Amino acid sequence: MADRPWSIVVHGGARSIPPEKAEAHRAGCRRAADAGAAVLQAGATAVVAARIAVCVLEDDPTFNAGRGSVPNLAGEIEMDAAIMDGASLGVGAVAAVRHIYNPIEAAAAMLAAEPILLVGPGAEDFARSRGVPCAGLPLAPAPSPGGGHDTVGCVAFDQAGHVAAATSTGGLAGTLPGRVGDAPLPGCGFYADDAVGGVSLSGDGEAIARALLGARVMRAMEEGHAGTAVNAIRAPMQRLAAEAGVIAIDAAGRIGMAHNSDHFAVAFADRNRAAAIAVLHETEWRKEMNHD
Ligand code: ASP
């Protein structure tokens, strides 16, 4: 493929990150963005890049997704993941799964299937039927889970101008068994449409879903730059006294992010800066991106 513009942004959750854990969050996000950037540069689709980047984050115990998932009230892990293809509006999502090493792989396998969301044992049977690696026993919680909002996500824009968004989470620590938040719900924890762009969110899942937060950012992006559209999270989160963070890429491939949590671990790369840049604070981000 010709050398056309591409871009990618990943997040490792909107939360307070203690100073001693900051570098692990930065490094994990950078590795994931680098992995996605490498395949985008080589001409892969946005869906493939987002899936690969989220797999890297799920495999990193720093984050509350996949390997690093936090326990619920019963001491068990239940994971949710979703991916959306902005070219076809295809959605694949799984929720409350306990045996799948990389829930985003199961979600990606669903892009080719009719349902958009499968939960629990049904999702796991589907994953096994598609050859997605599953454990025999439920996966154990991370030995020292962070307990914060370390949900992970990615938005990617490929050389053909297609957008994809992906989100994966171990949910919130100590919640009722069976609880599902925003992460696998389109328009809440993620969305992608080539005509507009894509978003992936982290934060208080119930508030994000009540506010349809992903859809609000998408709507704001219809009017302009991802870098300003992301501010659509601020008023609803203030109203609900809740925390959230969002990453976005618009239909022109421009990146944006915003959060009202103390920190938001993010990394991004594009054709002009193939080495992913990793940041934790919005102030750092704005300096890097030359916003305002
Ligand atoms: N949004 C996720 C959830 O509520 C949690 C997070 O962002 O860490 O399940």
Side-chain angles (χ1 to χ4, degrees):
M1 172 157 323
D3 186 25
R4 296 175 56 83
W6 55 266
S7 53
I8 185 165
V9 55
V10 307
H11 73 78
R15 63 169 301 206
S16 297
I17 299 171
E20 65 279 11
K21 295 201 171 155
E23 190 41 39
H25 283 76
R26 276 203 183 89
C29 286
R30 198 181 304 122
R31 266 195 303 274
D34 274 340
V39 296
L40 286 170
Q41 176 67 47
T45 65
V47 167
V48 167
R51 177 173 62 76
I52 286 173
V54 169
C55 268
V56 171
L57 293 161
E58 286 178 337
D59 288 342
D60 186 336
T62 304
F63 303 105
N64 171 20
R67 257 189 86 185
S69 292
V70 297
N72 62 17
L73 202 55
E76 295 162 344
I77 67 165
E78 292 182 321
M79 301 169 287
D80 312 324
I83 189 162
M84 183 158 183
D85 178 357
S88 61
L89 301 189
V91 172
V94 296
V97 297
R98 302 183 56 205
H99 296 78
I100 305 176
Y101 294 111
N102 288 105
I104 200 66
E105 293 285 15
M110 280 184 59
L111 283 173
E114 180 56 22
I116 61 155
L117 171 61
L118 290 173
V119 305
E124 297 184 336
D125 287 348
F126 174 86
R128 284 189 195 93
S129 78
R130 301 303 153 111
V132 175
C134 292
L137 293 172
L139 297 171
S144 54
H149 300 154
D150 299 314
T151 287
V152 303
C154 175
V155 185
F157 174 83
D158 67 29
Q159 293 192 39
H162 299 309
V163 182
T167 303
S168 180
T169 187
L172 295 176
T175 52
L176 287 172
R179 177 264 181 193
V180 174
D182 60 303
L185 305 179
C188 300
F190 71 99
Y191 202 80
D193 177 350
D194 280 3
V196 180
V199 294
S200 170
L201 291 92
S202 169
D204 296 317
E206 283 74 6
I208 292 172
R210 283 189 186 109
L212 270 181
L213 209 55
R216 285 179 192 249
V217 177
M218 291 296 293
R219 186 159 174 200
M221 230 160 21
E222 285 175 1
E223 314 294 331
H225 198 299
T228 50
V230 288
N231 290 313
I233 69 167
R234 296 192 191 281
M237 288 301 95
Q238 195 173 4
R239 176 176 172 194
L240 295 171
E243 275 188 355
V246 60
I247 54 171
I249 295 183
D250 63 30
R254 298 170 301 199
I255 295 171
M257 61 79 67
H259 61 104
N260 70 342
S261 49
D262 286 343
H263 304 117
F264 193 32
V266 297
F268 58 92
D270 60 31
R271 185 179 55 165
N272 301 320
R273 51 182 139 207
I277 296 166
V279 296
L280 276 174
H281 293 278
E282 188 146 2
T283 43
E284 287 177 77
W285 168 273
R286 290 193 173 276
K287 213 168 71 200
E288 289 294 348
M289 295 302 292
N290 261 340
H291 290 152
D292 12 92

